[in-house]
Coordinates of all heavy atoms in Angstrom, one line a residue:
L199 N -54.2 26.7 -57.1 CA -52.9 26.6 -57.8 C -52.8 25.3 -58.5 O -52.3 25.2 -59.6 CB -51.8 26.9 -56.9 CG -51.6 28.4 -56.4 CD1 -50.3 28.5 -55.6 CD2 -51.7 29.4 -57.5
R200 N -53.1 24.2 -57.7 CA -53.0 22.9 -58.3 C -53.9 22.7 -59.5 O -53.5 22.1 -60.5 CB -53.3 21.8 -57.2 CG -52.2 21.7 -56.2 CD -52.6 20.6 -55.1 NE -51.6 20.6 -54.1 CZ -51.8 20.9 -52.8 NH1 -53.1 21.4 -52.5 NH2 -50.9 20.9 -51.9
A201 N -55.1 23.2 -59.4 CA -56.0 23.2 -60.6 C -55.5 23.9 -61.8 O -55.9 23.7 -62.9 CB -57.4 23.7 -60.2
N202 N -54.5 24.8 -61.5 CA -53.9 25.6 -62.6 C -52.5 25.2 -62.9 O -51.7 26.0 -63.5 CB -54.0 27.1 -62.2 CG -55.4 27.7 -62.4 OD1 -55.7 28.1 -63.5 ND2 -56.1 27.7 -61.3
G203 N -52.2 23.9 -62.6 CA -50.9 23.3 -63.1 C -49.7 23.5 -62.2 O -48.6 23.1 -62.5
F204 N -49.9 24.1 -61.0 CA -48.7 24.2 -60.1 C -48.7 23.0 -59.1 O -49.7 22.4 -58.8 CB -48.9 25.5 -59.2 CG -48.7 26.8 -60.0 CD1 -49.7 27.4 -60.6 CD2 -47.4 27.3 -60.1 CE1 -49.5 28.6 -61.3 CE2 -47.2 28.5 -60.8 CZ -48.3 29.2 -61.4
S205 N -47.5 22.7 -58.7 CA -47.3 21.7 -57.7 C -47.1 22.5 -56.4 O -46.2 23.4 -56.3 CB -46.0 20.9 -58.0 OG -45.7 20.1 -56.9
V206 N -47.9 22.2 -55.3 CA -47.8 22.9 -54.1 C -47.5 22.0 -52.9 O -48.1 21.0 -52.7 CB -49.2 23.6 -53.8 CG1 -49.1 24.5 -52.6 CG2 -49.6 24.5 -55.0
K207 N -46.5 22.5 -52.2 CA -46.2 21.8 -50.9 C -46.6 22.7 -49.8 O -46.1 23.9 -49.7 CB -44.7 21.5 -50.8 CG -44.3 20.8 -49.5 CD -42.8 20.5 -49.4 CE -42.5 19.8 -48.1 NZ -41.1 19.5 -47.9
E208 N -47.4 22.2 -48.9 CA -48.0 23.0 -47.8 C -47.2 22.7 -46.5 O -47.1 21.5 -46.2 CB -49.5 22.8 -47.6 CG -50.3 23.1 -48.8 CD -51.8 22.8 -48.6 OE1 -52.4 23.2 -47.6 OE2 -52.3 22.1 -49.5
I209 N -46.8 23.8 -45.8 CA -46.1 23.6 -44.6 C -46.9 24.4 -43.5 O -46.9 25.6 -43.6 CB -44.6 24.0 -44.6 CG1 -43.9 23.2 -45.6 CG2 -44.0 24.0 -43.2 CD1 -42.4 23.7 -45.8
A210 N -47.4 23.7 -42.5 CA -48.2 24.3 -41.4 C -47.2 24.7 -40.4 O -46.3 23.9 -40.0 CB -49.2 23.3 -40.9
T211 N -47.2 26.0 -39.9 CA -46.3 26.5 -38.9 C -47.0 27.6 -38.1 O -47.8 28.3 -38.7 CB -45.0 27.0 -39.6 OG1 -44.2 27.5 -38.5 CG2 -45.3 28.0 -40.6
R212 N -46.5 27.7 -36.9 CA -47.0 28.9 -36.1 C -46.0 30.0 -36.1 O -46.2 31.0 -35.4 CB -47.2 28.4 -34.7 CG -48.3 27.3 -34.6 CD -48.9 27.2 -33.2 NE -49.8 26.1 -33.1 CZ -51.0 26.1 -33.5 NH1 -51.5 27.1 -34.1 NH2 -51.8 25.0 -33.4
E213 N -45.0 29.9 -37.0 CA -44.0 31.0 -37.1 C -44.2 31.9 -38.3 O -43.2 32.4 -38.9 CB -42.6 30.3 -37.2 CG -42.3 29.3 -36.1 CD -42.2 30.0 -34.7 OE1 -41.7 31.2 -34.7 OE2 -42.7 29.4 -33.8
M214 N -45.5 32.2 -38.6 CA -45.7 33.0 -39.8 C -45.1 34.4 -39.8 O -44.7 34.9 -40.8 CB -47.3 33.1 -40.1 CG -47.9 31.7 -40.5 SD -47.1 31.0 -42.0 CE -47.3 32.3 -43.2
D215 N -45.1 35.0 -38.6 CA -44.5 36.4 -38.5 C -43.1 36.4 -38.9 O -42.6 37.2 -39.7 CB -44.7 36.9 -37.1 CG -46.1 37.3 -36.8 OD1 -46.9 37.5 -37.7 OD2 -46.4 37.4 -35.6
S216 N -42.3 35.4 -38.5 CA -40.9 35.4 -38.8 C -40.7 34.9 -40.3 O -39.8 35.4 -40.9 CB -40.1 34.4 -37.9 OG -40.5 33.1 -38.0
I217 N -41.6 34.1 -40.8 CA -41.5 33.7 -42.2 C -41.7 34.9 -43.1 O -41.0 35.1 -44.1 CB -42.4 32.5 -42.5 CG1 -41.9 31.2 -41.9 CG2 -42.7 32.4 -44.0 CD1 -42.8 30.1 -41.8
K218 N -42.7 35.7 -42.8 CA -43.0 36.9 -43.6 C -41.9 37.9 -43.5 O -41.4 38.5 -44.5 CB -44.3 37.5 -43.1 CG -45.5 36.7 -43.4 CD -46.8 37.3 -42.8 CE -48.0 36.4 -42.9 NZ -48.2 35.8 -44.2
R219 N -41.3 38.1 -42.3 CA -40.2 39.0 -42.1 C -39.0 38.6 -42.9 O -38.4 39.3 -43.6 CB -39.9 39.1 -40.6 CG -38.9 40.2 -40.2 CD -38.7 40.4 -38.7 NE -38.5 39.1 -38.0 CZ -39.5 38.5 -37.2 NH1 -40.6 39.1 -37.1 NH2 -39.2 37.4 -36.6
D220 N -38.7 37.3 -42.8 CA -37.5 36.7 -43.5 C -37.7 36.8 -45.0 O -36.7 36.9 -45.8 CB -37.2 35.3 -43.1 CG -36.8 35.2 -41.7 OD1 -36.4 36.2 -41.0 OD2 -36.8 34.0 -41.1
A221 N -38.9 36.7 -45.5 CA -39.2 36.8 -46.9 C -39.3 38.2 -47.4 O -39.3 38.4 -48.6 CB -40.6 36.1 -47.2
G222 N -39.3 39.2 -46.5 CA -39.3 40.6 -46.9 C -40.6 41.1 -47.2 O -40.8 42.1 -48.0
V223 N -41.7 40.5 -46.7 CA -43.0 41.0 -47.0 C -43.3 42.2 -46.1 O -43.2 42.1 -44.9 CB -44.1 39.9 -46.6 CG1 -45.5 40.4 -46.8 CG2 -43.9 38.6 -47.5
P224 N -43.6 43.4 -46.7 CA -43.9 44.5 -45.9 C -45.2 44.3 -45.1 O -46.1 43.7 -45.6 CB -44.2 45.6 -47.0 CG -43.5 45.1 -48.2 CD -43.6 43.6 -48.1
P225 N -45.2 44.7 -43.8 CA -46.4 44.4 -42.9 C -47.7 44.9 -43.5 O -48.7 44.2 -43.4 CB -46.0 45.2 -41.7 CG -44.5 45.3 -41.6 CD -44.1 45.4 -43.1
A226 N -47.7 46.0 -44.3 CA -48.9 46.5 -44.9 C -49.5 45.5 -46.0 O -50.6 45.6 -46.4 CB -48.7 47.9 -45.4
L227 N -48.6 44.6 -46.5 CA -49.0 43.7 -47.6 C -49.3 42.3 -47.1 O -49.5 41.4 -47.9 CB -48.0 43.7 -48.7 CG -47.7 45.1 -49.4 CD1 -46.7 44.9 -50.5 CD2 -49.0 45.7 -49.9
A228 N -49.2 42.1 -45.8 CA -49.3 40.8 -45.2 C -50.7 40.2 -45.5 O -51.7 40.9 -45.6 CB -49.0 40.8 -43.7

Side-chain angles (χ1 to χ4, degrees):
L199 291 187
R200 288 181 184 110
N202 283 277
F204 288 91
S205 171
V206 183
K207 180 178 180 183
E208 300 177 49
I209 299 176
T211 178
R212 299 202 185 280
E213 304 299 322
M214 290 305 300
D215 289 338
S216 64
I217 287 168
K218 291 175 190 312
R219 187 175 47 255
D220 293 347
V223 176
L227 299 182

